Amino acid sequence: MYDVIGASDANGVGSSAPCLPFTDCPDGMGYGPVAARELKARGFDVSMVNLGIPTAVISAGFQALGQQYGRFIAGNFIAQEMPFVRTNATLVTMFAGGNEVNTITAALGAGAGGGNPAGYIDGQVAAFAADFATLVTGVRSRAGAARLVALNVPNIAALPLLSGSSLAQRQAAQRASAGMAAAVNTFRGQNVTIIDVMCDSRSYLTSNYSSDGFHPNDAGHAYIASEIVRAVTASAYPAPQASCGFMSVVPSM
């Protein structure tokens, strides 16, 4: 039993065959269905449900922040996804951070943070870390036997999405991304397998992204799916890196 928690990424948006929320979508080309098919091919009995909600963020706090600054956010993981994790789930993947980074930079662009944007970002990262702890605890309370696999956050500043953006926006996105990735990484010590998309060069290949520069295409979803399968099947999975060059693609704030 494999449950996928995420936003539009969990629905396979950007791929050639996205899925509707709360479906199994056996022929989908998003990372959830692709990983499920590969696990089945390896002899696992897999029933996948995609809990993703497009535009969603991790918590009501980030949802309210986005709405305050004009972003449409349809839901959040803690309130609208986590309660639907199946109690007999044996694998749950979680991918948060991208929409949250974009929410923070939108708030900064509208004047949030005043003269201390770095402090504002760090406060939002701390809120994200607390939210992620709530999410992990909630999933465990629903499905105590599940294997938990979390993807940390790529450096949004290095994605094609922001290639033409101002230095200030890219600096803010980088600071938020690195902070959120570090927050997710700490859960490795709490029996959560971490897929280190922050420090994997494949996260930054233009060829892995759809035309919007943010959502993975088929190749990008296949890359993520391959790491999920490896995390589940390998006898040992590497720890996320504490630092790497991808954390500082632009000068720090």
Side-chain angles (χ1 to χ4, degrees):
M1 297 290 185
Y2 171 25
D3 290 2
V4 185
I5 292 177
S8 51
D9 58 279
N11 304 127
V13 170
S15 76
S16 59
C19 305
L20 293 172
F22 289 76
T23 62
D24 58 357
C25 197
D27 298 319
M29 292 301 292
Y31 64 78
V34 172
R37 290 196 295 271
E38 176 59 27
L39 289 168
K40 286 180 181 178
R42 296 187 182 210
F44 292 88
D45 183 13
V46 182
S47 167
M48 189 212 77
V49 171
N50 150 45
L51 301 175
I53 299 172
T55 73
V57 289
I58 193 168
S59 69
F62 276 98
Q63 188 175 3
L65 180 66
Q67 291 169 340
Q68 179 183 353
Y69 290 102
R71 290 177 61 82
F72 174 76
I73 297 178
N76 69 79
F77 299 2
I78 291 171
Q80 278 87 36
E81 297 186 32
M82 179 263 288
F84 297 98
V85 169
R86 291 173 291 181
T87 56
N88 59 346
T90 54
L91 170 64
V92 179
T93 58
M94 301 168 285
F95 193 7
N99 286 342
E100 290 80 359
V101 170
N102 291 336
T103 295
I104 291 169
T105 58
L108 287 169
N116 185 15
Y120 180 81
I121 293 167
D122 293 348
Q124 295 300 326
V125 167
F128 176 87
D131 290 338
F132 202 86
T134 298
L135 179 64
V136 169
T137 299
V139 171
R140 284 200 174 119
S141 71
R142 291 282 303 166
R147 173 84 172 268
L148 304 189
V149 176
L151 290 82
N152 61 20
V153 189
N155 186 345
I156 304 301
L159 301 192
L161 173 71
L162 296 187
S163 61
S165 298
S166 69
L167 176 59
Q169 183 174 356
R170 297 182 73 206
Q171 287 175 320
Q174 176 171 278
R175 189 181 186 96
S177 299
M180 290 181 185
V184 173
N185 290 350
T186 63
F187 287 85
R188 184 175 185 269
Q190 300 180 39
N191 202 27
V192 178
T193 301
I194 308 299
I195 296 176
D196 190 5
V197 294
M198 168 60 81
C199 291
D200 193 318
S201 62
R202 292 171 293 177
S203 296
Y204 306 102
L205 294 175
T206 301
S207 58
N208 278 340
Y209 287 89
S210 64
S211 59
D212 67 9
F214 183 61
H215 293 98
N217 58 17
D218 284 359
H221 280 285
Y223 144 53
I224 295 171
S226 71
E227 286 304 309
I228 291 170
V229 171
R230 187 162 77 102
V232 172
T233 60
S235 58
Y237 190 78
Q241 297 182 50
S243 64
C244 66
F246 295 113
M247 295 178 178
S248 54
V249 298
V250 295
S252 299
M253 299 182 74

